[in-house]
Amino acid sequence: MTTENFPDIKSIAYEGPASKNPLAFKHYKPDEVIEGKTMREHLRFSIVYWHTMCGQGADMFGAPTALRPWESGLSGLDLAKARVPVFFEIAEKLGMPYYAFHDRDVAPHGKTLRQSNEYLDTIVALLKEQQQRTGIKLLWGTAQLFVHPRFMHGAATSPNVEVFAYSAAQVKKALEVTHELGGEGYTFWGGREGYATLWNTDMKRELEHLAKFLHLAVDYAKEIGFKGQFYIEPKPKEPTKHQYDSDAAACLNFLREFDLLPHFKLNLETNHATLAGHSMQHEMEVAGAAGALGSLDANTGDLLLGWDTDQFLTDAPTATQMMLSLMKYGGLTTGGVNFDAKVRRESVDPEDLFFAHIGGMDTFARGLKNAAAIRADGRLSAAVKQRYSSWDGTLGKSIEQGGETFASLEKLMLEKGEATANASGRQEFLENLVNDFI
Ligand code: XUL
Ligand code: CO
């Protein structure tokens, strides 16, 4: 049945940079080996259910624009069922090894929690069949705790204790189905875990509740034998004015404060970094230095717009920076390059879903090749090492190993009178060097 919805699109193949075929890869060659691993293994691409199947182009001023032929006349559970084979056809033709979903985007909300769970079970059986048919695996699952009005004040951070309880029940079920589908991870994105105004907010209590919630999730995962990696996905705002998981540093602080760091890594999203006023490179370095670089939601924002546009990344320099940081910290293990990205409201053809993902995959493949070339060249890392070379001498080693005090350092500097002259930071030289590889 793989040819039912896109009979004219075959499996996307690598044709090389000279190809003019918009339905071919120019850079992503899955079996090409780079630094001892195939591109497929380095990149661990993943396609998301929510944007690919549920995104219809609506925005806060306008109705859906992308009317998908496979959705015609359907609603509720029938619509949810119809989307499953289409999603896997797209994923399979793109050669995606992984996918990700929220409970309430694969299956509809029921009238009661019990009915929602039944709907979810029905769809999970279909997802399982498709996973078995295609060999595509689940990167991570998650619970959608932000669309329904019950979450207006938050989920785990709601002032309404029964909303906390409902959220717990929903995450319990989402963990069970993620486990059943062999998910390699589970993500928490706190879409409503923040505030609109501090006048009505007990921040301390809300943070404690959020930590309690995450501990309960860790306990339950242990109970059912789910060994997947837990992720927190930072984002500073939207839909709330301030979200508690605002950026990588804030997440790490929260996880450490509440003794959760051993159980969590970060799922960093490029557009969220922009909203936090950071580059993605910054976010990745913060997470990497803490040993918490877990997974990537691969997209981009528009620097002229202040919101989460979730566009496909087509910018090779950004992808190069991202792949350099990733490789520096050992690459992806449980995580992936997950396309949390959507086609524009004006891109209404189903084929646009293919062009978008092909572009994203090729961009990260270019980033990977560029990063590997920069690493093989060695001048960039050598320059950084050289910049800190004074620390490799007797004094530097002694400070690093705890052999000095303020008094001993004062004695030394009183004798010397002045520190050795500083060397150039060579920013422009290094920017030019990196540019030579892009
Ligand atoms: C929202 C976002 C989410 C998470 C999963 O900005 O990125 O889709 O990735 O809940
Ligand atoms: Co995301």
Side-chain angles (χ1 to χ4, degrees), residues 50 102 140 142 146 187 189 233 235 267 269 272 297 308 310 340:
W50 54 98
H102 300 82
W140 48 258
T142 187
F146 42 88
T187 292
W189 170 62
E233 183 176 323
K235 184 175 182 182
N267 175 35
E269 178 163 324
H272 296 178
D297 267 11
D308 194 11
D310 280 338
D340 189 357

Side-chain angles (χ1 to χ4, degrees), residues 183-305:
E184 296 185 19
Y186 186 90
T187 292
F188 289 89
W189 170 62
R192 302 267 171 204
E193 314 291 25
Y195 60 80
T197 172
L198 284 169
W199 293 122
N200 65 15
T201 301
D202 184 339
M203 191 191 280
K204 184 170 188 301
R205 215 168 175 188
E206 292 202 1
L207 288 169
E208 285 164 2
H209 293 165
L210 182 57
K212 167 67 75 187
F213 193 87
L214 297 179
H215 274 293
L216 291 174
V218 168
D219 291 346
Y220 189 63
K222 238 179 240 157
E223 198 179 317
I224 61 171
F226 174 66
K227 299 211 167 54
Q229 176 63 52
F230 277 119
Y231 304 109
I232 298 244
E233 183 176 323
K235 184 175 182 182
K237 57 190 170 192
E238 199 195 297
T240 58
K241 167 171 154 167
H242 174 81
Q243 278 163 220
Y244 296 132
D245 302 327
S246 54
D247 65 3
C251 286
L252 290 170
N253 182 58
F254 169 82
L255 291 170
R256 270 200 199 97
E257 180 177 352
F258 292 101
D259 223 6
L260 285 157
L261 195 52
H263 308 290
F264 281 82
K265 287 189 174 168
L266 301 184
N267 175 35
L268 300 172
E269 178 163 324
T270 325
N271 200 165
H272 296 178
T274 309
L275 294 177
H278 303 306
S279 65
M280 185 60 163
Q281 189 183 20
H282 166 96
E283 288 292 83
M284 290 182 68
E285 290 293 325
V286 170
L293 183 49
S295 197
L296 304 174
D297 267 11
N299 62 15
T300 190
D302 184 318
L303 293 178
L304 301 182
L305 299 173

Side-chain angles (χ1 to χ4, degrees), residues 354-377:
F354 281 89
F355 300 139
H357 285 93
I358 291 169
M361 293 164 89
D362 262 344
T363 302
F364 278 94
R366 284 181 70 183
L368 171 63
K369 288 193 283 190
N370 294 345
I374 291 169
R375 283 159 63 85
D377 173 81

